[in-house]
Amino acid sequence: MHTLKRSALLATLLLAALAARAAEFTVGAELPLTGSLARVGAGMHEGVMVAAEVFNRANGKHKIKIVTVDDESAPAKAIAAVEKLAGMGAVAITGGYGSNNIAPASSTADKLGLVYITSGGVDDSLVAAGRRNFFRINNTAGYEKAALGLFGDMKVKGVSIVYSTKDATSDLARSVGKALAAQGVKVAEHPFDPAITDFKPIVNKIRLQDRPDAVFMVGYENDYVGILRAARVLKPQVKAMVGVWSLATPKMAAEFPDLMPNVYGTALLPYPATFTGADGKAFADTYRQLYKKEPDYLGQFGYVQSMLLFEAIARAADKGTVAKGGIAEELRRTDRDTLIGRVQFAANGDNVHFSHRMGQHQGKNIVIVWPPQHATGKMAYPAVPW
Amino acid sequence: MTELVLQALYSGVLAGGAYALVALGLALVFGTMRVINLAHGELVLLAAYVAYTVESRLGASPLAAIPAALALVCAAAAAVHFVVARIHVDREINSLIATFGIGVILTNTMLLVWSADVRSTSSPWLQEAVVAGPLFAMRGELVSFGASLLLMGALWWWLAKTWHGRAVRAVAGNRDAAQLMGVAPGRAELVAFLVAGMLAACAGVALYSVGVIQPALGAALTVKAFVITVLAGVGSIPGVLLGAVLLGVAEALTVTLASSALQELAGMGLFLLVLFVLPNGLLGATARRG
């Protein structure tokens, strides 16, 4: 009896001691929830919230509390958002969308000694600026690999690249153009102002002057719709319409069923999505439970970056180094398979293993067509939406 | 090359028609009250979202949304007038701030109601290509251009031939003299705002029928409308059409003959050039004499 009482007392003391060491960490989510990037910001925010939910459910010891501040798609507001989050006791920042917003926001975080992790900016200057606490899980190189891989499989001889003059889109377009030209592919570049609404003059130049095998679109959802609609009117004799982010998504298939058939875009998952691992299932189930819809790639990126951050916070907390730069240290030690593939950060904070996949709208589904080891179907080529 | 230039001119003229439709309401209010309604683009966008709702919920053509868009946008325009009319000190500057604030409220309301997703018509009829020899256009663009011409004619007729139209012109010309002649300036201003709301409603439905909409688009529409209004010359309805078409053609030719990246720059270049050579705008001086 005495032994039982002693054991109970010991267990109570142990639990009390553990409870005393357990902590709730505030993590700041700085994202555009209004303004021109609201759509993508909201999508990524969903992934952040799913990660917090999954982490808190699985991790009995440490808890994560997300505090979100809208940066209104504006660089100055992004700086203010990070400063506000620091003032609210955030130990790190997850989020950011648009390289123009991420650059000043992450500089501010760096000055405040806060880790900043993102998947929303592919401008290479973000990782070349020497920020010690900056981490990114995707990059231009990963998108470039996917586009070049697909064009290689298509054996294209000419590509017209239509791209928005924003930093991230210009970087990717020029990089792919340079690589294609080096392979002997005839490349024509058509940069356009983000404010442009009528793409017919550009598509007409492609139709009459360039006469390429494929059109490569590097822009955002509204640009893709404009280009595809102009192409549907002018019907250039091309074999494929290829784009990058925000294009091969279930949302685009549902919203623009007439414009999307046979169009290619970067896609991490086929649609309907299939998650095989425990992490993927936890993500998808929680996502559906919280948002009553199918998970998309923005949520997936937001989830991965946030989960890696939360795990680093937990490890640093166990070592008592959260306030001594331990979160950044733990992220630098990260090497793990995630929903977007293997993640390991280089000294500049960039994920060295990132490589995207290419999907194609086929009927109501999205089929992964590149790389071959992840392909879920064959590409329809030549094939265009009209 | 000829084919390219012809298509650029054709696309530019059609785009200009759509620009004119967006700018007409702003030009009318600016001419009457000397108030730059910075929420005008958001009013146009509001109508576009009504068209989206009617199409997506009821499966009807976006054009069927015009009555609902007219009602909602005119109510919103009346609300804007209610705020602006209460500004008696430094009206030109203070109304800018007030309408900018209203624009922000409208943008965020649209964001809450319709989310940040991009929307565009799925009507095959409107998106169908209409081919005339070497020239291509979307049917929606031709409808929009036709509607623009029709509305401009109707507006000209209303301003020239009806009592309310003449009252609006009188207030625009000389508010005090108009009052002495028995015109109630407040009422004339409200009428101008309501007519601007009607034009914005039609412009919004046209915009949804030919383009892509998202909540942040309102500010860009206002800027485009403002550029055209100043380019046209205050108070000139034909000037709005001429300015809008010139802008559309300049943009399209720049894309075709130079670089697509310079499109917006070309528009602003044209704007500055016209203001430098003709400070009253393209038809401003003529209109004043007339």
Side-chain angles (χ1 to χ4, degrees), chain A residues 99-100 102-103 121-131 134 136 138-144 167-176 348-351 354:
Chain A
S99 301
N100 294 349
I102 291 170
V122 292
D123 187 345
D124 284 339
S125 68
L126 290 172
V127 287
R131 298 181 186 96
F134 181 80
R136 177 172 75 172
N138 61 340
N139 48 43
T140 302
Y143 287 90
E144 192 182 325
D167 287 348
T169 42
S170 298
D171 280 353
L172 177 58
R174 287 187 194 135
S175 196
V176 169
N348 63 2
D350 217 1
N351 174 16
F354 180 65

PDB file of all heavy atoms in Angstrom, chain A residues 99-100 102-103 121-131 134 136 138-144 167-176 348-351 354:
ATOM      1  N   SER A  99       7.581  37.454 -53.517  1.00  0.00           N
ATOM      2  CA  SER A  99       8.966  37.794 -53.141  1.00  0.00           C
ATOM      3  C   SER A  99       9.101  39.252 -52.719  1.00  0.00           C
ATOM      4  O   SER A  99       9.879  39.571 -51.823  1.00  0.00           O
ATOM      5  CB  SER A  99       9.893  37.510 -54.318  1.00  0.00           C
ATOM      6  OG  SER A  99       9.807  36.144 -54.677  1.00  0.00           O
ATOM      7  N   ASN A 100       8.312  40.133 -53.349  1.00  0.00           N
ATOM      8  CA  ASN A 100       8.386  41.563 -53.011  1.00  0.00           C
ATOM      9  C   ASN A 100       7.998  41.828 -51.562  1.00  0.00           C
ATOM     10  O   ASN A 100       8.479  42.782 -50.956  1.00  0.00           O
ATOM     11  CB  ASN A 100       7.428  42.378 -53.899  1.00  0.00           C
ATOM     12  CG  ASN A 100       7.838  42.348 -55.340  1.00  0.00           C
ATOM     13  OD1 ASN A 100       8.941  41.899 -55.663  1.00  0.00           O
ATOM     14  ND2 ASN A 100       6.962  42.803 -56.210  1.00  0.00           N
ATOM     15  N   ILE A 102       7.999  39.247 -49.144  1.00  0.00           N
ATOM     16  CA  ILE A 102       8.807  38.386 -48.282  1.00  0.00           C
ATOM     17  C   ILE A 102      10.174  39.017 -47.988  1.00  0.00           C
ATOM     18  O   ILE A 102      10.672  38.937 -46.859  1.00  0.00           O
ATOM     19  CB  ILE A 102       8.975  36.989 -48.928  1.00  0.00           C
ATOM     20  CG1 ILE A 102       7.634  36.263 -48.933  1.00  0.00           C
ATOM     21  CG2 ILE A 102      10.021  36.161 -48.192  1.00  0.00           C
ATOM     22  CD1 ILE A 102       7.632  34.987 -49.751  1.00  0.00           C
ATOM     23  N   ALA A 103      10.770  39.661 -48.994  1.00  0.00           N
ATOM     24  CA  ALA A 103      12.120  40.224 -48.805  1.00  0.00           C
ATOM     25  C   ALA A 103      12.166  41.212 -47.633  1.00  0.00           C
ATOM     26  O   ALA A 103      12.950  41.013 -46.691  1.00  0.00           O
ATOM     27  CB  ALA A 103      12.608  40.868 -50.097  1.00  0.00           C
ATOM     28  N   GLY A 121       7.805  32.549 -52.045  1.00  0.00           N
ATOM     29  CA  GLY A 121       8.641  33.432 -52.856  1.00  0.00           C
ATOM     30  C   GLY A 121       9.763  32.658 -53.520  1.00  0.00           C
ATOM     31  O   GLY A 121      10.536  31.989 -52.835  1.00  0.00           O
ATOM     32  N   VAL A 122       9.860  32.745 -54.840  1.00  0.00           N
ATOM     33  CA  VAL A 122      10.903  31.974 -55.526  1.00  0.00           C
ATOM     34  C   VAL A 122      12.038  32.854 -56.053  1.00  0.00           C
ATOM     35  O   VAL A 122      12.952  32.373 -56.712  1.00  0.00           O
ATOM     36  CB  VAL A 122      10.319  31.124 -56.679  1.00  0.00           C
ATOM     37  CG1 VAL A 122       9.439  30.023 -56.148  1.00  0.00           C
ATOM     38  CG2 VAL A 122       9.546  31.987 -57.659  1.00  0.00           C
ATOM     39  N   ASP A 123      11.993  34.145 -55.757  1.00  0.00           N
ATOM     40  CA  ASP A 123      13.074  35.039 -56.187  1.00  0.00           C
ATOM     41  C   ASP A 123      14.381  34.615 -55.498  1.00  0.00           C
ATOM     42  O   ASP A 123      14.437  34.492 -54.274  1.00  0.00           O
ATOM     43  CB  ASP A 123      12.710  36.477 -55.776  1.00  0.00           C
ATOM     44  CG  ASP A 123      13.698  37.494 -56.326  1.00  0.00           C
ATOM     45  OD1 ASP A 123      14.789  37.081 -56.767  1.00  0.00           O
ATOM     46  OD2 ASP A 123      13.380  38.691 -56.315  1.00  0.00           O
ATOM     47  N   ASP A 124      15.416  34.403 -56.296  1.00  0.00           N
ATOM     48  CA  ASP A 124      16.672  33.897 -55.731  1.00  0.00           C
ATOM     49  C   ASP A 124      17.385  34.909 -54.849  1.00  0.00           C
ATOM     50  O   ASP A 124      18.235  34.533 -54.030  1.00  0.00           O
ATOM     51  CB  ASP A 124      17.604  33.423 -56.854  1.00  0.00           C
ATOM     52  CG  ASP A 124      17.149  32.079 -57.398  1.00  0.00           C
ATOM     53  OD1 ASP A 124      16.412  31.377 -56.680  1.00  0.00           O
ATOM     54  OD2 ASP A 124      17.491  31.749 -58.547  1.00  0.00           O
ATOM     55  N   SER A 125      17.062  36.185 -55.003  1.00  0.00           N
ATOM     56  CA  SER A 125      17.714  37.171 -54.129  1.00  0.00           C
ATOM     57  C   SER A 125      17.305  36.957 -52.660  1.00  0.00           C
ATOM     58  O   SER A 125      17.997  37.407 -51.757  1.00  0.00           O
ATOM     59  CB  SER A 125      17.363  38.590 -54.572  1.00  0.00           C
ATOM     60  OG  SER A 125      16.000  38.842 -54.342  1.00  0.00           O
ATOM     61  N   LEU A 126      16.207  36.286 -52.446  1.00  0.00           N
ATOM     62  CA  LEU A 126      15.765  36.024 -51.064  1.00  0.00           C
ATOM     63  C   LEU A 126      16.798  35.195 -50.294  1.00  0.00           C
ATOM     64  O   LEU A 126      17.024  35.413 -49.108  1.00  0.00           O
ATOM     65  CB  LEU A 126      14.420  35.277 -51.057  1.00  0.00           C
ATOM     66  CG  LEU A 126      13.184  36.066 -51.504  1.00  0.00           C
ATOM     67  CD1 LEU A 126      11.985  35.144 -51.640  1.00  0.00           C
ATOM     68  CD2 LEU A 126      12.875  37.189 -50.528  1.00  0.00           C
ATOM     69  N   VAL A 127      17.407  34.246 -50.981  1.00  0.00           N
ATOM     70  CA  VAL A 127      18.386  33.385 -50.296  1.00  0.00           C
ATOM     71  C   VAL A 127      19.826  33.883 -50.514  1.00  0.00           C
ATOM     72  O   VAL A 127      20.756  33.376 -49.898  1.00  0.00           O
ATOM     73  CB  VAL A 127      18.287  31.910 -50.743  1.00  0.00           C
ATOM     74  CG1 VAL A 127      17.054  31.259 -50.163  1.00  0.00           C
ATOM     75  CG2 VAL A 127      18.303  31.791 -52.258  1.00  0.00           C
ATOM     76  N   ALA A 128      19.970  34.879 -51.370  1.00  0.00           N
ATOM     77  CA  ALA A 128      21.324  35.402 -51.624  1.00  0.00           C
ATOM     78  C   ALA A 128      21.626  36.617 -50.753  1.00  0.00           C
ATOM     79  O   ALA A 128      22.743  37.125 -50.772  1.00  0.00           O
ATOM     80  CB  ALA A 128      21.468  35.776 -53.096  1.00  0.00           C
ATOM     81  N   ALA A 129      20.636  37.072 -50.002  1.00  0.00           N
ATOM     82  CA  ALA A 129      20.804  38.318 -49.240  1.00  0.00           C
ATOM     83  C   ALA A 129      21.530  38.120 -47.904  1.00  0.00           C
ATOM     84  O   ALA A 129      21.762  39.096 -47.185  1.00  0.00           O
ATOM     85  CB  ALA A 129      19.446  38.966 -49.000  1.00  0.00           C
ATOM     86  N   GLY A 130      21.863  36.887 -47.563  1.00  0.00           N
ATOM     87  CA  GLY A 130      22.633  36.641 -46.344  1.00  0.00           C
ATOM     88  C   GLY A 130      21.826  36.713 -45.055  1.00  0.00           C
ATOM     89  O   GLY A 130      22.379  36.982 -43.983  1.00  0.00           O
ATOM     90  N   ARG A 131      20.520  36.458 -45.148  1.00  0.00           N
ATOM     91  CA  ARG A 131      19.708  36.452 -43.922  1.00  0.00           C
ATOM     92  C   ARG A 131      19.981  35.145 -43.177  1.00  0.00           C
ATOM     93  O   ARG A 131      19.833  34.070 -43.742  1.00  0.00           O
ATOM     94  CB  ARG A 131      18.218  36.567 -44.263  1.00  0.00           C
ATOM     95  CG  ARG A 131      17.872  37.860 -44.966  1.00  0.00           C
ATOM     96  CD  ARG A 131      16.377  37.955 -45.269  1.00  0.00           C
ATOM     97  NE  ARG A 131      16.109  39.139 -46.073  1.00  0.00           N
ATOM     98  CZ  ARG A 131      16.011  39.144 -47.399  1.00  0.00           C
ATOM     99  NH1 ARG A 131      16.100  38.013 -48.070  1.00  0.00           N
ATOM    100  NH2 ARG A 131      15.794  40.262 -48.055  1.00  0.00           N
ATOM    101  N   PHE A 134      16.572  32.826 -42.381  1.00  0.00           N
ATOM    102  CA  PHE A 134      15.595  32.661 -43.461  1.00  0.00           C
ATOM    103  C   PHE A 134      15.629  31.236 -44.015  1.00  0.00           C
ATOM    104  O   PHE A 134      16.708  30.697 -44.293  1.00  0.00           O
ATOM    105  CB  PHE A 134      15.899  33.655 -44.589  1.00  0.00           C
ATOM    106  CG  PHE A 134      14.922  33.574 -45.730  1.00  0.00           C
ATOM    107  CD1 PHE A 134      13.682  34.181 -45.646  1.00  0.00           C
ATOM    108  CD2 PHE A 134      15.230  32.868 -46.885  1.00  0.00           C
ATOM    109  CE1 PHE A 134      12.769  34.103 -46.700  1.00  0.00           C
ATOM    110  CE2 PHE A 134      14.328  32.784 -47.934  1.00  0.00           C
ATOM    111  CZ  PHE A 134      13.100  33.402 -47.835  1.00  0.00           C
ATOM    112  N   ARG A 136      13.500  28.447 -46.809  1.00  0.00           N
ATOM    113  CA  ARG A 136      12.514  28.359 -47.893  1.00  0.00           C
ATOM    114  C   ARG A 136      12.470  26.920 -48.393  1.00  0.00           C
ATOM    115  O   ARG A 136      13.519  26.304 -48.601  1.00  0.00           O
ATOM    116  CB  ARG A 136      12.939  29.306 -49.013  1.00  0.00           C
ATOM    117  CG  ARG A 136      12.054  29.276 -50.219  1.00  0.00           C
ATOM    118  CD  ARG A 136      12.401  30.358 -51.202  1.00  0.00           C
ATOM    119  NE  ARG A 136      13.615  30.062 -51.955  1.00  0.00           N
ATOM    120  CZ  ARG A 136      14.034  30.794 -52.984  1.00  0.00           C
ATOM    121  NH1 ARG A 136      13.352  31.857 -53.337  1.00  0.00           N
ATOM    122  NH2 ARG A 136      15.130  30.479 -53.639  1.00  0.00           N
ATOM    123  N   ASN A 138      10.800  25.869 -51.249  1.00  0.00           N
ATOM    124  CA  ASN A 138      10.722  25.712 -52.708  1.00  0.00           C
ATOM    125  C   ASN A 138      11.542  26.808 -53.376  1.00  0.00           C
ATOM    126  O   ASN A 138      11.902  27.793 -52.737  1.00  0.00           O
ATOM    127  CB  ASN A 138       9.270  25.788 -53.191  1.00  0.00           C
ATOM    128  CG  ASN A 138       8.640  27.119 -52.871  1.00  0.00           C
ATOM    129  OD1 ASN A 138       9.112  27.847 -52.001  1.00  0.00           O
ATOM    130  ND2 ASN A 138       7.566  27.443 -53.540  1.00  0.00           N
ATOM    131  N   ASN A 139      11.850  26.640 -54.636  1.00  0.00           N
ATOM    132  CA  ASN A 139      12.677  27.638 -55.310  1.00  0.00           C
ATOM    133  C   ASN A 139      12.515  27.543 -56.830  1.00  0.00           C
ATOM    134  O   ASN A 139      11.927  26.586 -57.353  1.00  0.00           O
ATOM    135  CB  ASN A 139      14.153  27.446 -54.922  1.00  0.00           C
ATOM    136  CG  ASN A 139      14.577  25.994 -55.030  1.00  0.00           C
ATOM    137  OD1 ASN A 139      14.239  25.318 -55.990  1.00  0.00           O
ATOM    138  ND2 ASN A 139      15.299  25.501 -54.034  1.00  0.00           N
ATOM    139  N   THR A 140      13.048  28.542 -57.507  1.00  0.00           N
ATOM    140  CA  THR A 140      12.933  28.600 -58.968  1.00  0.00           C
ATOM    141  C   THR A 140      13.519  27.351 -59.616  1.00  0.00           C
ATOM    142  O   THR A 140      12.970  26.819 -60.582  1.00  0.00           O
ATOM    143  CB  THR A 140      13.667  29.850 -59.499  1.00  0.00           C
ATOM    144  OG1 THR A 140      13.085  30.991 -58.875  1.00  0.00           O
ATOM    145  CG2 THR A 140      13.529  29.991 -61.003  1.00  0.00           C
ATOM    146  N   ALA A 141      14.648  26.892 -59.060  1.00  0.00           N
ATOM    147  CA  ALA A 141      15.327  25.735 -59.657  1.00  0.00           C
ATOM    148  C   ALA A 141      14.391  24.520 -59.732  1.00  0.00           C
ATOM    149  O   ALA A 141      14.408  23.782 -60.722  1.00  0.00           O
ATOM    150  CB  ALA A 141      16.572  25.396 -58.844  1.00  0.00           C
ATOM    151  N   GLY A 142      13.570  24.331 -58.716  1.00  0.00           N
ATOM    152  CA  GLY A 142      12.652  23.192 -58.685  1.00  0.00           C
ATOM    153  C   GLY A 142      11.576  23.297 -59.747  1.00  0.00           C
ATOM    154  O   GLY A 142      11.159  22.297 -60.348  1.00  0.00           O
ATOM    155  N   TYR A 143      11.087  24.527 -59.981  1.00  0.00           N
ATOM    156  CA  TYR A 143      10.081  24.752 -61.027  1.00  0.00           C
ATOM    157  C   TYR A 143      10.729  24.598 -62.411  1.00  0.00           C
ATOM    158  O   TYR A 143      10.125  24.064 -63.339  1.00  0.00           O
ATOM    159  CB  TYR A 143       9.474  26.155 -60.889  1.00  0.00           C
ATOM    160  CG  TYR A 143       8.530  26.279 -59.720  1.00  0.00           C
ATOM    161  CD1 TYR A 143       8.977  26.653 -58.464  1.00  0.00           C
ATOM    162  CD2 TYR A 143       7.170  26.013 -59.871  1.00  0.00           C
ATOM    163  CE1 TYR A 143       8.121  26.763 -57.390  1.00  0.00           C
ATOM    164  CE2 TYR A 143       6.291  26.121 -58.802  1.00  0.00           C
ATOM    165  CZ  TYR A 143       6.779  26.500 -57.556  1.00  0.00           C
ATOM    166  OH  TYR A 143       5.922  26.592 -56.491  1.00  0.00           O
ATOM    167  N   GLU A 144      11.968  25.100 -62.503  1.00  0.00           N
ATOM    168  CA  GLU A 144      12.695  25.037 -63.771  1.00  0.00           C
ATOM    169  C   GLU A 144      12.931  23.579 -64.180  1.00  0.00           C
ATOM    170  O   GLU A 144      12.722  23.211 -65.342  1.00  0.00           O
ATOM    171  CB  GLU A 144      14.019  25.779 -63.599  1.00  0.00           C
ATOM    172  CG  GLU A 144      14.743  26.044 -64.887  1.00  0.00           C
ATOM    173  CD  GLU A 144      16.076  26.743 -64.650  1.00  0.00           C
ATOM    174  OE1 GLU A 144      16.178  27.568 -63.722  1.00  0.00           O
ATOM    175  OE2 GLU A 144      17.027  26.416 -65.379  1.00  0.00           O
ATOM    176  N   ASP A 167       8.895  40.018 -60.240  1.00  0.00           N
ATOM    177  CA  ASP A 167      10.228  39.439 -60.005  1.00  0.00           C
ATOM    178  C   ASP A 167      10.263  37.913 -60.164  1.00  0.00           C
ATOM    179  O   ASP A 167      11.065  37.369 -60.910  1.00  0.00           O
ATOM    180  CB  ASP A 167      10.713  39.783 -58.586  1.00  0.00           C
ATOM    181  CG  ASP A 167      11.114  41.240 -58.479  1.00  0.00           C
ATOM    182  OD1 ASP A 167      11.233  41.884 -59.538  1.00  0.00           O
ATOM    183  OD2 ASP A 167      11.278  41.728 -57.352  1.00  0.00           O
ATOM    184  N   ALA A 168       9.390  37.237 -59.431  1.00  0.00           N
ATOM    185  CA  ALA A 168       9.451  35.778 -59.390  1.00  0.00           C
ATOM    186  C   ALA A 168       9.171  35.165 -60.764  1.00  0.00           C
ATOM    187  O   ALA A 168       9.866  34.236 -61.202  1.00  0.00           O
ATOM    188  CB  ALA A 168       8.451  35.254 -58.371  1.00  0.00           C
ATOM    189  N   THR A 169       8.166  35.707 -61.434  1.00  0.00           N
ATOM    190  CA  THR A 169       7.789  35.164 -62.737  1.00  0.00           C
ATOM    191  C   THR A 169       8.871  35.458 -63.781  1.00  0.00           C
ATOM    192  O   THR A 169       9.181  34.604 -64.607  1.00  0.00           O
ATOM    193  CB  THR A 169       6.437  35.753 -63.176  1.00  0.00           C
ATOM    194  OG1 THR A 169       6.432  37.144 -62.875  1.00  0.00           O
ATOM    195  CG2 THR A 169       5.289  35.097 -62.474  1.00  0.00           C
ATOM    196  N   SER A 170       9.450  36.653 -63.720  1.00  0.00           N
ATOM    197  CA  SER A 170      10.520  37.006 -64.666  1.00  0.00           C
ATOM    198  C   SER A 170      11.718  36.091 -64.466  1.00  0.00           C
ATOM    199  O   SER A 170      12.310  35.599 -65.440  1.00  0.00           O
ATOM    200  CB  SER A 170      10.990  38.448 -64.449  1.00  0.00           C
ATOM    201  OG  SER A 170       9.960  39.322 -64.669  1.00  0.00           O
ATOM    202  N   ASP A 171      12.086  35.878 -63.206  1.00  0.00           N
ATOM    203  CA  ASP A 171      13.254  35.027 -62.919  1.00  0.00           C
ATOM    204  C   ASP A 171      13.080  33.640 -63.521  1.00  0.00           C
ATOM    205  O   ASP A 171      13.968  33.122 -64.194  1.00  0.00           O
ATOM    206  CB  ASP A 171      13.431  34.870 -61.396  1.00  0.00           C
ATOM    207  CG  ASP A 171      14.102  36.080 -60.796  1.00  0.00           C
ATOM    208  OD1 ASP A 171      14.535  36.946 -61.573  1.00  0.00           O
ATOM    209  OD2 ASP A 171      14.167  36.160 -59.552  1.00  0.00           O
ATOM    210  N   LEU A 172      11.920  33.059 -63.253  1.00  0.00           N
ATOM    211  CA  LEU A 172      11.675  31.695 -63.725  1.00  0.00           C
ATOM    212  C   LEU A 172      11.634  31.651 -65.258  1.00  0.00           C
ATOM    213  O   LEU A 172      12.260  30.774 -65.883  1.00  0.00           O
ATOM    214  CB  LEU A 172      10.367  31.157 -63.135  1.00  0.00           C
ATOM    215  CG  LEU A 172       9.937  29.775 -63.598  1.00  0.00           C
ATOM    216  CD1 LEU A 172      11.001  28.732 -63.291  1.00  0.00           C
ATOM    217  CD2 LEU A 172       8.618  29.362 -62.956  1.00  0.00           C
ATOM    218  N   ALA A 173      10.922  32.606 -65.847  1.00  0.00           N
ATOM    219  CA  ALA A 173      10.781  32.614 -67.311  1.00  0.00           C
ATOM    220  C   ALA A 173      12.134  32.753 -67.993  1.00  0.00           C
ATOM    221  O   ALA A 173      12.448  32.015 -68.935  1.00  0.00           O
ATOM    222  CB  ALA A 173       9.856  33.749 -67.733  1.00  0.00           C
ATOM    223  N   ARG A 174      12.932  33.698 -67.522  1.00  0.00           N
ATOM    224  CA  ARG A 174      14.244  33.931 -68.150  1.00  0.00           C
ATOM    225  C   ARG A 174      15.159  32.732 -67.962  1.00  0.00           C
ATOM    226  O   ARG A 174      15.908  32.338 -68.863  1.00  0.00           O
ATOM    227  CB  ARG A 174      14.894  35.176 -67.551  1.00  0.00           C
ATOM    228  CG  ARG A 174      14.212  36.443 -68.021  1.00  0.00           C
ATOM    229  CD  ARG A 174      14.963  37.650 -67.555  1.00  0.00           C
ATOM    230  NE  ARG A 174      14.153  38.847 -67.721  1.00  0.00           N
ATOM    231  CZ  ARG A 174      14.025  39.789 -66.798  1.00  0.00           C
ATOM    232  NH1 ARG A 174      14.655  39.706 -65.649  1.00  0.00           N
ATOM    233  NH2 ARG A 174      13.282  40.846 -67.038  1.00  0.00           N
ATOM    234  N   SER A 175      15.075  32.151 -66.782  1.00  0.00           N
ATOM    235  CA  SER A 175      15.920  31.003 -66.476  1.00  0.00           C
ATOM    236  C   SER A 175      15.576  29.816 -67.389  1.00  0.00           C
ATOM    237  O   SER A 175      16.466  29.174 -67.963  1.00  0.00           O
ATOM    238  CB  SER A 175      15.674  30.646 -65.005  1.00  0.00           C
ATOM    239  OG  SER A 175      16.653  29.830 -64.551  1.00  0.00           O
ATOM    240  N   VAL A 176      14.279  29.555 -67.531  1.00  0.00           N
ATOM    241  CA  VAL A 176      13.846  28.453 -68.408  1.00  0.00           C
ATOM    242  C   VAL A 176      14.203  28.782 -69.861  1.00  0.00           C
ATOM    243  O   VAL A 176      14.691  27.921 -70.607  1.00  0.00           O
ATOM    244  CB  VAL A 176      12.324  28.187 -68.260  1.00  0.00           C
ATOM    245  CG1 VAL A 176      11.810  27.242 -69.333  1.00  0.00           C
ATOM    246  CG2 VAL A 176      12.018  27.627 -66.878  1.00  0.00           C
ATOM    247  N   ASN A 348      22.383  28.790 -47.011  1.00  0.00           N
ATOM    248  CA  ASN A 348      21.627  30.028 -47.289  1.00  0.00           C
ATOM    249  C   ASN A 348      20.139  29.881 -46.962  1.00  0.00           C
ATOM    250  O   ASN A 348      19.359  30.807 -47.194  1.00  0.00           O
ATOM    251  CB  ASN A 348      21.818  30.446 -48.753  1.00  0.00           C
ATOM    252  CG  ASN A 348      21.264  29.416 -49.736  1.00  0.00           C
ATOM    253  OD1 ASN A 348      20.704  28.396 -49.331  1.00  0.00           O
ATOM    254  ND2 ASN A 348      21.436  29.675 -51.020  1.00  0.00           N
ATOM    255  N   GLY A 349      19.733  28.739 -46.465  1.00  0.00           N
ATOM    256  CA  GLY A 349      18.336  28.533 -46.072  1.00  0.00           C
ATOM    257  C   GLY A 349      17.462  27.929 -47.153  1.00  0.00           C
ATOM    258  O   GLY A 349      16.270  27.700 -46.937  1.00  0.00           O
ATOM    259  N   ASP A 350      18.026  27.651 -48.342  1.00  0.00           N
ATOM    260  CA  ASP A 350      17.209  27.097 -49.430  1.00  0.00           C
ATOM    261  C   ASP A 350      17.172  25.570 -49.357  1.00  0.00           C
ATOM    262  O   ASP A 350      18.171  24.932 -49.011  1.00  0.00           O
ATOM    263  CB  ASP A 350      17.802  27.543 -50.774  1.00  0.00           C
ATOM    264  CG  ASP A 350      16.713  27.829 -51.789  1.00  0.00           C
ATOM    265  OD1 ASP A 350      15.521  27.707 -51.441  1.00  0.00           O
ATOM    266  OD2 ASP A 350      17.054  28.200 -52.920  1.00  0.00           O
ATOM    267  N   ASN A 351      16.025  25.016 -49.735  1.00  0.00           N
ATOM    268  CA  ASN A 351      15.864  23.557 -49.735  1.00  0.00           C
ATOM    269  C   ASN A 351      16.597  22.971 -50.948  1.00  0.00           C
ATOM    270  O   ASN A 351      16.192  23.209 -52.091  1.00  0.00           O
ATOM    271  CB  ASN A 351      14.368  23.223 -49.785  1.00  0.00           C
ATOM    272  CG  ASN A 351      14.097  21.744 -49.937  1.00  0.00           C
ATOM    273  OD1 ASN A 351      14.978  20.901 -49.727  1.00  0.00           O
ATOM    274  ND2 ASN A 351      12.862  21.427 -50.289  1.00  0.00           N
ATOM    275  N   PHE A 354      14.516  20.453 -53.562  1.00  0.00           N
ATOM    276  CA  PHE A 354      13.198  20.736 -54.143  1.00  0.00           C
ATOM    277  C   PHE A 354      13.150  20.498 -55.654  1.00  0.00           C
ATOM    278  O   PHE A 354      13.978  20.996 -56.410  1.00  0.00           O
ATOM    279  CB  PHE A 354      12.780  22.183 -53.860  1.00  0.00           C
ATOM    280  CG  PHE A 354      11.428  22.527 -54.429  1.00  0.00           C
ATOM    281  CD1 PHE A 354      10.285  21.908 -53.945  1.00  0.00           C
ATOM    282  CD2 PHE A 354      11.290  23.424 -55.475  1.00  0.00           C
ATOM    283  CE1 PHE A 354       9.037  22.183 -54.477  1.00  0.00           C
ATOM    284  CE2 PHE A 354      10.050  23.703 -56.020  1.00  0.00           C
ATOM    285  CZ  PHE A 354       8.920  23.084 -55.516  1.00  0.00           C
TER     286      PHE A 354
END
